[in-house]
Amino acid sequence: MKNPIPRSLLPALLLAATQCVSVQSASAAELTLAVEIPRQNVAEYHKPYVAIWIENNSTRAVTNLAVWYDAEMRNNEGEKWLKDMRQWWRRSGRTLQMPVDGVTGATKGSGQHHLQFHFGSAPLHELAGGDYTLRIEAAREVGGREVVDIPFSWPQTQPATFTASGSTELGAVAVSIKP
Amino acid sequence: MLNKTPFKPFLVAALVLGSVAVQAHRAWIVPQETVLSGENRWVSFDAAVSNDIFLANYNPGRFSDVQVLNPDGSAGQVENLHTGKYRSVFDLALKQEGTYRLFIASSGLRALWEEDGQRRMYPGRGEQYSAEGFAKAVPENAEKLVVSQASRRMETFVTLGAPSRNALAASGQGLELVAVTHPNDLFAGEEASFRFLIDGEAAQGADVTLIREGTRYRNAQEAITLKTNSKGEITVRWNGAGRYFLEAEYKDNKAQKPATERSGSYVAVLEVLPD
């Protein structure tokens, strides 16, 4: 799982890192995430629904970081496909009241997407020391579904980056932790 | 004939399922999907009687009396029932969050004996059981008398939002499944456990068969066959994701008089999702 960081992600990670130094105090521990949604060469394309969450090693969802879905549809019709992110739906989605402040957002198209979270503040919260898995699940209407898992430990003494890559619905994913 | 209102659904059901037993066909109710999100969703169901798993090619059954238990335990109703040549279809509106149970259940006594070398049966085809009818029809010292107390249940489950267990409570009558693993929380790479009860008590030694859909596209049934343990339980390792036809059969001699044997048959359609 601890692959070298893909070259294509480096500028993004560096940019994200510099940005947070300028905004946050140097002591604030943070988690930066770079997610690639691949371009699909298909006749009918819908932006994927994506859920990003952290589980502890007993596969309990600890915290939801992001859920991208179509919240703008009439009569909350977009919620109809939330269950297609099966693992996320099972672990926490089905007990949530949508939308969730600071977690849910609009679907995103292909390309690199960057997210930044601070330990101790929502939606990441403070993590107890231990082993975790950051999981990203994508499901696309008339398309496929894929889950990418990135194991990591918290806390870290040195800045660390963990990477993984999907093969169909998700591309390169990198989790960077600054202690 | 079927005018004793409280029993009408059961009797109609008995006719549907009765034909299953006699002709060894299988009756099934298949939900188009079992796990749903959002609000005010609908689920469409296909139901029929056939040998092939979820392939409607024998008869459409009679599902006008299918019963619904809502997540809060109240009774619901299916809508838009249509009976075609081979298949019945109907819809269920999911207005509450939680797990819904759709079922057809029946139970009754049947006597078989011989008179002058001829096999006799009570109640006969189209007749219904009554204590008086039994006393009149069955001779005091009938030869080779077997009186069976038989129960049948066929059901399936769908869930909107988080699974709940109100609708899963056992009735205490006949052969029934008690969910250890929730029937709408089944995943291909995990084991699932179910307990079977006969009249509310552990059904030990029941034969359980599970067959995954799509038999038409493979050469073998690939049936999973299990026997319940002393607690009436089985643990299933799935043959991959898909919808499954589950059939359980149970028989013992602990029937209440005048019955001499007790049997139960149970069918459920379950959906197992990919990991």
Side-chain angles (χ1 to χ4, degrees):
Chain A
M1 280 293 165
K2 294 184 184 179
N3 302 322
I5 307 167
R7 194 166 286 253
S8 61
L9 277 178
L10 273 174
L13 291 171
L14 290 173
L15 175 65
T18 39
Q19 275 176 339
C20 48
V21 169
S22 63
V23 177
Q24 288 288 315
S25 71
S27 65
E30 64 186 33
L31 186 151
T32 318
L33 191 62
V35 182
E36 185 189 356
I37 296 178
R39 189 168 301 281
Q40 305 281 353
N41 187 20
V42 291
E44 182 181 347
Y45 180 76
H46 300 266
K47 293 174 183 174
Y49 275 32
V50 176
I52 305 171
W53 73 103
I54 293 175
E55 279 179 20
N56 63 18
N57 51 16
S58 55
T59 70
R60 283 279 166 78
V62 171
T63 188
N64 284 302
L65 296 181
V67 179
W68 300 335
Y69 76 108
D70 197 342
E72 299 300 311
M73 288 181 74
R74 195 163 50 87
N75 300 326
N76 299 326
E77 279 286 311
E79 294 182 15
K80 181 175 177 178
W81 294 283
L82 286 172
K83 49 91 180 167
D84 290 342
M85 298 183 283
R86 296 195 186 291
Q87 290 302 319
W88 169 77
W89 180 248
R90 181 187 196 196
R91 287 187 167 68
S92 71
R94 65 196 190 185
T95 58
L96 291 177
Q97 191 64 46
M98 304 299 279
V100 180
D101 271 356
V103 172
T104 49
T107 52
K108 301 186 192 319
S110 60
Q112 298 260 350
H113 301 282
H114 304 283
L115 298 94
Q116 194 181 47
F117 306 96
H118 297 280
F119 288 90
S121 56
L124 179 54
H125 307 291
E126 199 61 69
L127 292 185
D131 294 330
Y132 294 92
T133 303
L134 185 134
R135 311 192 73 186
I136 303 183
E137 182 168 21
R140 190 163 48 89
E141 194 181 346
V142 211
R145 164 183 168 268
E146 186 166 36
V147 186
V148 171
D149 291 342
I150 305 182
F152 69 94
S153 301
W154 173 255
Q156 296 284 330
T157 51
Q158 298 289 319
T161 297
F162 307 87
T163 64
S165 185
S167 57
T168 54
E169 299 299 327
L170 289 165
V173 181
V175 175
S176 291
I177 293 175
K178 201 185 76 155
Chain B
M1 175 200 316
L2 301 178
N3 54 2
K4 289 188 177 172
T5 42
F7 294 104
K8 187 176 170 187
F10 298 99
L11 289 169
V12 173
L15 294 178
V16 175
L17 295 163
S19 71
V20 179
V22 171
Q23 313 204 13
H25 284 97
R26 293 158 166 155
W28 36 263
I29 302 172
V30 180
Q32 288 296 317
E33 52 187 335
T34 60
V35 173
L36 295 102
S37 60
E39 298 162 13
N40 296 318
R41 300 253 71 88
W42 288 74
V43 178
S44 181
F45 296 83
D46 286 347
V49 177
S50 75
N51 267 340
D52 299 307
I53 304 298
F54 314 146
L55 176 63
N57 62 1
Y58 180 65
N59 79 45
R62 287 170 64 180
F63 293 91
S64 52
D65 292 297
V66 66
Q67 301 186 66
V68 179
L69 265 182
N70 293 324
D72 66 3
S74 63
Q77 203 168 5
V78 300
E79 297 176 51
N80 306 325
L81 174 74
H82 167 75
T83 305
K85 175 69 179 165
Y86 289 129
R87 182 174 60 132
S88 296
V89 295
F90 47 82
D91 303 315
L92 178 66
L94 311 184
K95 293 167 185 163
Q96 304 172 9
E97 293 236 321
T99 299
Y100 295 74
R101 177 184 213 158
L102 283 86
F103 66 99
I104 289 180
S106 66
S107 63
L109 292 188
R110 170 151 294 175
L112 290 169
W113 71 98
E114 284 186 10
E115 261 177 63
D116 306 326
Q118 299 269 29
R119 283 180 70 77
R120 303 290 302 274
M121 180 170 86
Y122 174 84
R125 281 197 167 270
E127 275 184 286
Q128 56 181 293
Y129 176 87
S130 71
E132 305 85 68
F134 181 91
K136 202 183 285 180
V138 183
E140 287 273 333
N141 42 11
E143 282 176 61
K144 297 183 181 171
L145 176 67
V146 175
V147 184
S148 304
Q149 172 194 331
S151 71
R152 296 180 186 282
R153 173 177 276 266
M154 166 174 58
E155 61 189 4
T156 192
F157 312 88
V158 297
T159 295
L160 176 67
S164 63
R165 286 179 177 263
N166 260 341
L168 305 185
S171 71
Q173 293 191 329
L175 183 63
E176 37 185 356
L177 174 145
V178 175
V180 180
T181 308
H182 193 288
N184 288 148
D185 205 16
L186 306 174
F187 286 82
E190 299 176 7
E191 291 184 345
S193 294
F194 303 108
R195 184 181 303 131
F196 290 88
L197 302 181
I198 180 76
D199 296 334
E201 291 174 356
Q204 180 181 355
D207 290 306
V208 184
T209 305
L210 294 110
I211 302 174
R212 187 162 61 102
E213 66 179 326
T215 50
R216 189 184 185 187
Y217 308 108
R218 58 181 192 259
N219 294 328
Q221 294 279 301
E222 293 175 7
I224 301 169
T225 53
L226 301 163
K227 217 176 233 315
T228 56
N229 66 17
S230 60
K231 294 174 184 166
E233 289 182 357
I234 54 161
T235 298
V236 184
R237 287 176 198 83
W238 305 105
N239 286 341
R243 291 176 293 200
Y244 281 75
F245 178 83
L246 179 156
E247 190 171 31
E249 298 284 346
Y250 175 86
K251 194 178 240 184
D252 69 16
N253 55 9
K254 296 175 188 165
Q256 288 185 327
K257 283 186 177 176
T260 51
E261 63 175 38
R262 173 171 72 162
S263 68
S265 91
Y266 175 89
V267 166
V269 173
L270 304 169
E271 187 178 36
V272 177
L273 298 174
D275 295 306

